[in-house]
Amino acid sequence: MKLLVIGSGGREHALVWKLAQSPRVSRLWCAPGNAGTQGEPLAAGGIAENVAIGAEDLVSLLAFARKQCPDLTVVGPDGALALGVVDAFQAEGFPIWGPRKAAARFEFSKAFSQEFMRQHGIPTARSGTFTDPASARLFAQQLGGRCVVKADGLALGKGVIMARDAREAESAIQRMLVDRMFGEASREVVIQEWIEGTEISLHALCDGSHFQILPSSQDHKRVGDGDLGPNTGGMGTYSPTPFLSSSEWEKMAHEVLEPWLAGCQAEGIDFRGLIYPGVMLTADGPRVLEFNARWGDPETQVYLPRLENDLVEIFLACINGTLDQHPLRWFPLHTVCVVLASHGYPGAVERGKVIHGLADVAPLAQVKVFHAGTTRFNEEVVTSGGRVLGVTAWDTSLGAARDRAYAAADRLCFEGMQFRRDIAARGLAFAPTV
Ligand code: AMP
Ligand code: GLY
C-alpha cells in the first residue's frame, strides 16, 4: 500500500514511524515532514520520503494524490482538518483517515463544543458563550472574576487566557472581543469557570458508530518545571498515569464518550478519526475542558510505542466502520516523552541551530527520538521550530522509562536547548513503585 501522512511535527514522525512498521506499506510519504520522517525505514523495505508540500496546501496535496494515488492518507494537524482536507480527498475518491470538516468542528469551534456538551450531558465546566463584551463581563463577575477566557476558533494553541481575578478577566475580554487579538477566531469567546484538578488526556478512536479508548496519558502544558510559566503545545508526556486504575480509567472515559457518541449520532455527525477530550479530574468526577479532533502532540509519541496492532489496519477500520472488530492491544510498558525545545519557546525562537548527539542516541535500546521542528541543512540536522525533538523511551516501570528518556536527552544538545526536568514526576510521586 502507498501511504501519505500530512503534517510535520513530532506527532507525525511518530505516526510515520509506526505506520512504517506495517508489512503492508510499500511507499510512505510525509507532507511536508521533518528531518526525522525523511528516511524512516519501512518494514517492507525502502524508506519514508518527505514531499515539500505544506499541510494546509490543499491544492498541492490533491495534485500529489492524483499523481501518486495513495491507498491511504492520514491527517495529523487540526489546521488541515479545519480546512476540509478529508472532504476534499473523499470527493475525489482517495481514502483518507480523519474527521470531515463538519466533525472536526469539535476542535475548531469551542462555542459549538460547549453547546454540544450542554445538550448531551457531557460533564464540563460551568460556562457561557459571548460575542457581546458587556454580557461576557457580567458572566465573568458571576464566576467571581477567576475564570478562563477562550477564543472560539483556532488560535495556534494560544487562544486561552487564564484570568486569576476580575481585572485579568476584564483585560482578556477586552483583548479578545474588542481588540480582536485573534481576528475572527475571537469574534466569539467561551468563558469557563476555572477548574482545579489533575489534567489528563483522553484519546479514543472512532469509526462513526463505535469508539475504542486508548490508555491514559498526561501532558505537561507549562513551559517550566513545577508547572510554572506560560502554556505551550506540550513539553512532555507519559503513559499510563498511575492516578487511576485501568477500570477507573475506562469508567471515566465512558462517562465522557458514551454521551459524546450518542450526541454525534443524534446530530448526524459522522466522526471517523480520533477524538481527544482534554479532561480535568476533580473531586466531583471528570470535567471536559475542550475537544480536539486529532492525536495529541506529544501524546502520540507515548501511545504508539505501546500499541501492538498494525496501525494501518486500525485506520482502515475507522474509515470502514469496523473498529469494533479490531480490539486495540497494548504492550504492558510505560512510556515517557521529554520535549527538547528552542530558547524562547513558546514565544519567538531562533532557528538553524545545529543539533548534536543524534547519532550517539540512535543505537540506544528502548529509546526513539521523534523529530518535530527539525530540518536538514548542509548534511546537518538543524532546528526549525519551537518544539524540536521528543525523546521517548519505554520500559517495564515508569521510573525506568523516565531514566532512559533523560539519559538520552542528556546526550543531545543544540544552542539554547531547554526542557523540563520533571516529566512524569507527578505520576512517580503518586506511585513510586510503578
Ligand atoms: P484548552 O486549549 O481549552 O485545552 O486550554 C489550554 C489549557 O488551559 C488546558 O490544557 C488547561 O491546562 C487550561 N484550562 C483550560 N480550561 C480550563 C478550565 N476551565 N479550568 C482550568 N484550566 C483550564
Ligand atoms: N498535547 C496537547 C495537544 O496536542 O493539544
Side-chain angles (χ1 to χ4, degrees):
M1 285 177 73
K2 295 185 285 184
L3 264 64
L4 170 64
V5 173
I6 298 175
S8 63
R11 162 184 52 214
E12 286 77 18
H13 187 193
L15 287 166
V16 163
W17 173 78
K18 179 66 184 168
L19 291 165
Q21 293 167 27
S22 169
R24 299 177 65 167
V25 176
S26 54
R27 291 290 300 266
L28 178 49
W29 297 282
C30 192
N34 56 41
T37 55
Q38 172 64 41
E40 195 62 71
L42 308 185
I47 54 167
E49 299 156 75
N50 286 352
V51 185
I53 302 174
E56 298 189 9
D57 182 354
L58 295 200
V59 172
S60 305
L61 288 169
L62 268 176
F64 179 83
R66 284 184 208 118
K67 190 160 158 234
Q68 299 288 357
C69 292
D71 301 295
L72 172 65
T73 296
V74 173
V75 190
D78 50 4
L81 295 170
L83 287 172
V85 68
V86 173
D87 311 56
F89 269 55
Q90 284 177 346
E92 298 202 20
F94 297 116
I96 182 163
W97 179 88
R100 288 190 196 134
K101 186 171 179 177
R105 222 172 147 202
F106 280 108
E107 175 146 9
F108 69 77
S109 174
K110 289 188 193 285
F112 165 79
S113 280
Q114 206 62 51
E115 177 57 18
F116 184 94
M117 288 195 274
R118 193 187 65 74
Q119 283 202 359
H120 299 288
I122 297 167
T124 181
R126 210 178 134 200
S127 71
T129 299
F130 306 93
T131 49
D132 165 43
S135 319
R137 281 185 207 111
L138 190 64
F139 186 69
Q141 276 168 19
Q142 285 166 6
L143 293 175
R146 187 174 159 84
C147 63
V148 183
V149 184
K150 304 184 175 189
D152 170 56
L154 294 180
L156 298 170
K158 297 190 174 132
V160 173
I161 298 179
M162 315 271 297
R164 282 168 296 187
D165 54 35
R167 199 182 48 79
E168 288 186 4
E170 164 63 34
S171 146
I173 292 165
Q174 171 74 24
R175 281 190 285 157
M176 288 213 196
L177 281 181
V178 184
D179 306 340
R180 293 284 175 90
M181 71 185 289
F182 299 113
E184 266 303 290
S186 66
R187 198 184 61 77
E188 196 167 20
V189 297
V190 169
I191 301 182
Q192 289 181 335
E193 71 180 304
W194 180 317
I195 298 191
E196 306 289 347
T198 302
E199 198 175 350
I200 42 132
S201 299
L202 171 56
H203 281 55
L205 286 155
C206 188
D207 68 357
S209 316
H210 320 92
F211 64 82
Q212 280 201 51
I213 59 165
L214 278 63
S216 58
S217 70
Q218 184 171 48
D219 191 5
H220 298 64
K221 294 264 167 96
R222 303 295 186 112
V223 75
D225 284 4
D227 292 330
L228 297 175
N231 261 327
T232 69
M235 293 299 288
T237 38
Y238 63 100
S239 174
T241 60
F243 319 118
L244 298 174
S245 67
S246 50
S247 62
E248 286 168 328
W249 173 249
E250 276 176 31
K251 183 172 167 286
M252 190 286 290
H254 282 257
E255 202 176 323
V256 169
L257 290 167
E258 272 169 20
W260 172 79
L261 184 60
C264 285
Q265 290 175 336
E267 297 202 14
I269 300 170
D270 184 11
F271 193 100
R272 297 177 195 229
L274 188 135
I275 188 79
Y276 155 20
V279 176
M280 195 71 92
L281 299 176
T282 75
D284 302 322
R287 296 286 180 273
V288 177
L289 303 180
E290 59 148 7
F291 282 103
N292 301 294
R294 47 154 183 96
W295 291 84
D297 186 345
E299 284 87 344
T300 312
Q301 292 88 316
V302 287
Y303 282 135
L304 295 184
R306 298 189 57 204
L307 181 66
E308 206 180 322
N309 305 66
D310 182 334
L311 190 56
V312 175
E313 308 275 340
I314 298 298
F315 283 161
L316 291 176
C318 288
I319 293 174
N320 298 332
T322 55
L323 190 59
D324 56 326
Q325 294 162 34
H326 296 266
L328 298 177
R329 299 185 309 275
W330 301 94
F331 295 115
L333 291 170
H334 295 257
T335 33
V336 174
C337 171
V338 178
V339 170
L340 310 185
S342 298
H343 174 69
Y345 179 73
V349 299
E350 283 181 24
R351 290 152 211 267
K353 309 292 181 196
V354 177
I355 303 171
H356 302 280
L358 287 167
D360 205 23
V361 170
L364 296 181
Q366 293 163 237
V367 172
K368 176 70 189 173
V369 178
F370 292 117
H371 289 231
T374 71
T375 188
R376 248 171 220 285
F377 185 73
N378 288 344
E379 303 299 307
E380 285 181 305
V381 178
V382 301
T383 64
S384 66
R387 291 190 291 177
V388 175
L389 300 169
V391 183
T392 306
W394 49 95
D395 213 316
T396 48
S397 76
L398 182 58
R402 190 266 318 261
D403 292 347
R404 265 184 205 277
Y406 277 109
D410 283 331
R411 291 162 87 156
L412 293 160
C413 81
F414 50 88
E415 194 188 317
M417 180 172 103
Q418 56 157 334
F419 61 98
R420 280 182 64 160
R421 279 274 166 201
D422 62 349
I423 302 303
R426 210 149 349 126
L428 285 163
F430 186 85
T433 53
V434 294

